[in-house]
Amino acid sequence: MRRDLNQDVPAIEWPNGTKLTPYSAERAAVVHELMLIGYREGGGRVPALDVWQQQFENDPEYDPALCFIASDAAGVIGVAQCWTSSYIKNLVVHPRAQGHGLGRALLLHAFKVFQDRREGFVDLKVLESNHRALSLYERSGMYVVRRELVPD
């Protein structure tokens, strides 16, 4: 899916008590745990912590300033992991924090950061069967981009 960043990004409304911090290696285990929970609910898989952390931190598009971690008094409740290519790699919200606007806030924050970096679009992939995520993305101004195959 894609979001045109030439359009205004709505004001971000963070759920009460939410604190946003960037990724650090010291937070890898809690971010990884949230990814495991999220992928169990939304489909897909996450490698073991050591493999995940190695792949994540050594990816050529990795920038710790583009991994947004949302926490409340009880711990990490959301993460948006983005790449420098204006791509949202992962967006996960802990089940106890779902339905309170955190996913939308993280998504809009990513849009705003990429807009400030003067990017034209932001993209992400989502399974067609993940209706909850599709609904969130569409309500946030994203639209489906179909791949066009070149005939033989």
Side-chain angles (χ1 to χ4, degrees), residues 38-45 127 130:
Y39 272 81
R40 253 193 322 265
E41 291 197 354
R45 61 186 171 82
L127 295 173
N130 192 342

Side-chain angles (χ1 to χ4, degrees), residues 12-13 18 27 35 38-39 45 47 50 57 79 84 93-94 98 104:
I12 302 168
E13 296 179 27
T18 302
R27 303 193 81 196
M35 295 282 190
Y39 272 81
R45 61 186 171 82
D50 58 336
E57 293 177 9
V79 63
T84 57
V93 175
H94 194 284
Q98 291 177 358
R104 179 175 167 81

Side-chain angles (χ1 to χ4, degrees), residues 3-9 111 114-115 118-122 143:
R3 173 64 150 76
D4 181 348
L5 296 177
N6 291 312
Q7 302 171 356
D8 289 336
V9 175
F111 294 166
F114 283 122
Q115 192 177 54
R118 309 194 53 78
E119 296 288 348
F121 299 93
V122 64
Y143 54 91

Side-chain angles (χ1 to χ4, degrees), residues 26-60:
E26 297 78 36
R27 303 193 81 196
V30 293
V31 170
H32 180 262
E33 182 60 32
L34 183 58
M35 295 282 190
L36 290 173
I37 292 168
Y39 272 81
R40 253 193 322 265
E41 291 197 354
R45 61 186 171 82
V46 179
L49 172 59
D50 58 336
V51 173
W52 173 84
Q53 187 174 5
Q54 170 74 16
Q55 290 173 345
F56 176 52
E57 293 177 9
N58 291 296
D59 190 284

